[in-house]
Amino acid sequence: MRKTIAVGLAALIAMYFLGGISARHEIFPWPQLSALKKMEVGEKAAAPSRYTFDDKERLIGDELKTPVSCPTQTDRTAVLLILGQSNAANDGGQRHRSNYGGRVVNAFDKRCFIAASPLLGSTDTKGEYWTLLGNKLIASGQYDSVILAPLAYSGSEVARWATGGDLNPVLVDTVKQLQDSGYRITNVLWVQGEKDLVMGTTAEAYQEYFMSMVDTLRQHGVAAPVYISIASKCLEPSNGGFKAHIPDNAIVRAQLALSKSGHGIREGANSDALLDGEDRYDDCHIGGTGAEKLAQAWLNLLGGDHRHEGVNM
């Protein structure tokens, strides 16, 4: 009897380990048994979500959005085309909402919604500081309305935005949608560079790809100034970055050179220099204090231009 029990236990242990190895390495009989289970039980349905994404993981729908009539553009309207990677997208550590109802809106797919994080048009579903910037622009008394048109992809390198890149046609489509809605872009805000630093993109290549993107904008009727942020810092391997940051690097040199090259390109907010460690909630992405600093920096840039130059319609 004892011998029978011992043999049975040994067989059970052997089957246990065999099953574990089979599942871990996807060898017989695990794939066959798994497929049989799916046939009998069916695939588990995905949990319902308020969010909808396109095939590039861009947020294109949110059940909690409040649609409003798109404001008519005047010389006191800011129309901001927001481009770049995660720190221009919905990866912030703090969400924001319009303090002025339909005067600060998120324009997407020829419709307008009261601006509130996360914004339609960019990837991810966390926070962002563009709505905070919109609130500040209204509060400054220089603008009556702010149109936010974000198109930012987490982890995107500059080459993807240039002619031939997969994001270039999306950029063209976004510009056309704004134009079809009666909007003339007043400012282009570019926040990108961290990915290219990790990839080892040279300064020359970065400038070439960036200018290709600017050429695309100009060819499609966007005469607005293009603000290029000084942005290359995203630390830690968990974020796809390095352990430590070297401020003087190829991407920063390229961004500074571009900002002085003419062609309607201007220097944007310098997140590398402006933000301290506590301003990034994970050593890369913008937290609440960082959002406040960057929104104020952009207000100073855009507000100063509006006061001294006006917005040409």
Side-chain angles (χ1 to χ4, degrees):
M1 182 67 179
R2 290 181 178 176
K3 183 177 180 180
T4 303
I5 294 174
V7 171
L9 286 173
L12 286 173
I13 293 171
M15 291 175 65
Y16 174 81
F17 282 105
L18 176 62
I21 294 172
S22 173
R24 183 176 181 181
H25 297 283
E26 288 290 320
I27 60 175
F28 180 85
W30 181 261
Q32 290 76 14
L33 292 174
S34 180
L36 182 62
K37 181 180 178 181
K38 289 179 180 179
M39 288 176 61
E40 293 181 353
V41 179
E43 293 281 0
K44 184 178 179 181
S49 172
R50 67 184 245 201
Y51 303 117
T52 305
F53 304 89
D54 66 10
D55 59 356
K56 293 184 183 294
E57 300 183 356
R58 183 172 60 141
L59 183 64
I60 60 172
D62 180 349
E63 294 176 357
L64 299 187
K65 291 297 181 188
T66 304
V68 292
S69 298
C70 289
T72 301
Q73 185 170 7
T74 70
D75 59 357
R76 290 176 57 83
T77 302
V79 181
L80 310 181
L81 177 61
I82 301 159
L83 310 174
Q85 57 179 104
S86 58
N87 278 331
N90 298 308
D91 281 284
Q94 179 65 54
R95 287 183 168 183
H96 296 278
R97 173 176 292 276
S98 168
N99 293 337
Y100 301 93
R103 293 173 64 189
V104 182
V105 301
N106 175 188
F108 178 74
D109 198 22
K110 301 181 183 180
R111 300 180 65 193
C112 291
F113 306 85
I114 292 177
S117 309
L119 295 176
L120 300 178
S122 292
T123 55
D124 302 303
T125 59
K126 295 187 277 294
E128 44 74 41
Y129 59 86
W130 305 115
T131 300
L132 176 60
L133 170 61
N135 287 336
K136 287 179 175 290
L137 289 170
I138 298 291
S140 73
Q142 299 177 65
Y143 295 90
D144 293 330
S145 57
V146 177
I147 316 300
L148 303 174
L151 177 65
Y153 286 83
S154 180
S156 61
E157 63 268 28
V158 66
R160 295 180 63 189
W161 297 86
T163 300
D166 65 310
L167 300 183
N168 192 270
V170 190
L171 173 60
V172 172
D173 183 61
T174 300
V175 168
K176 288 182 176 178
Q177 287 183 14
L178 287 169
Q179 293 168 341
D180 290 345
S181 299
Y183 289 128
R184 180 182 178 88
I185 296 166
T186 60
N187 307 92
V188 180
L189 313 183
W190 173 258
V191 182
Q192 191 276 345
E194 302 92 335
K195 177 71 172 181
D196 284 280
L197 180 62
V198 173
M199 291 177 62
T201 304
T202 66
E204 294 75 16
Y206 191 93
Q207 292 180 69
E208 181 180 345
Y209 286 130
F210 182 84
M211 286 307 304
S212 176
M213 182 197 67
V214 173
D215 288 344
T216 295
L217 291 171
R218 302 307 187 215
Q219 290 165 12
H220 290 85
V222 179
V226 178
Y227 289 84
I228 181 169
S229 293
I230 309 304
S232 69
K233 186 176 183 179
C234 182
L235 301 181
E236 288 303 310
S238 59
N239 294 312
F242 299 126
K243 179 180 178 180
H245 183 68
I246 300 174
D248 182 17
N249 59 69
I251 303 307
V252 168
R253 289 194 294 272
Q255 292 166 342
L256 289 170
L258 285 163
S259 71
K260 298 175 175 64
S261 66
H263 309 287
I265 302 171
R266 303 176 185 178
E267 185 175 334
N270 187 335
S271 59
D272 280 9
L274 186 62
L275 302 185
D276 299 322
E278 62 269 22
D279 296 324
R280 300 177 188 262
Y281 66 83
D282 63 352
D283 301 306
C284 177
H285 299 105
I286 312 303
T289 56
E292 180 63 38
K293 289 180 179 180
L294 286 172
Q296 186 62 44
W298 282 112
L299 171 66
N300 294 341
L301 288 168
L302 302 182
D305 282 352
H306 189 69
R307 284 192 301 271
H308 297 127
E309 299 176 14
V311 179
N312 297 320
M313 292 292 112

